[in-house]
Amino acid sequence: MKNIEVTTETLRFINKIDEEIIVDFKECNKNWIAYHKRNNKWTEEKYEQFRRQSKCVGQRDICAKPPYFEFFTKPFTNVELRNQKEFAALQKMIRDAGWTTFDLS
């Protein structure tokens, strides 16, 4: 992964085949919330409460070989990192932008 840029709204990077990939954090969060509403059969009140509180945009696994992030785009966007140092750096950028990811490790 090259040229990583994280803003409060997006993640931008160049993938392994030199394509620019843009991940919209608001879209990812919306998909995360919709998934939980469907799976938990929430009332509208519970859904609204979760929507106001959730900042999750993906999931991550630092123990995987290689470590990765998976963002809740349609289809999911996978970002594989070379090592745990790169993983920690990306996690910090996402957190500093005001978002979170679900830990799978």
Side-chain angles (χ1 to χ4, degrees), residues 12 18 23 34 46 72 80:
R12 293 174 186 256
D18 288 330
V23 174
K46 178 68 176 169
F72 300 135
E80 294 181 349

Side-chain angles (χ1 to χ4, degrees), residues 29-65:
N29 181 249
K30 181 180 175 183
N31 293 337
W32 168 254
I33 292 165
Y35 166 80
H36 279 282
K37 182 180 181 187
R38 279 190 315 273
N39 281 5
N40 296 311
K41 298 181 177 129
W42 284 339
T43 64
E44 202 59 32
E45 181 180 325
K46 178 68 176 169
Y47 163 76
E48 284 298 323
Q49 178 185 7
F50 187 74
R51 187 185 61 75
R52 286 189 301 273
Q53 295 174 345
S54 177
K55 291 292 188 180
C56 188
V57 295
Q59 50 197 15
R60 66 187 187 277
D61 190 345
I62 197 168
C63 296
K65 303 287 184 216

Side-chain angles (χ1 to χ4, degrees), residues 66-81:
Y68 70 91
F69 284 79
E70 186 171 63
F71 294 94
F72 300 135
T73 53
K74 289 184 182 181
F76 285 178
T77 300
N78 292 312
V79 178
E80 294 181 349
L81 291 307

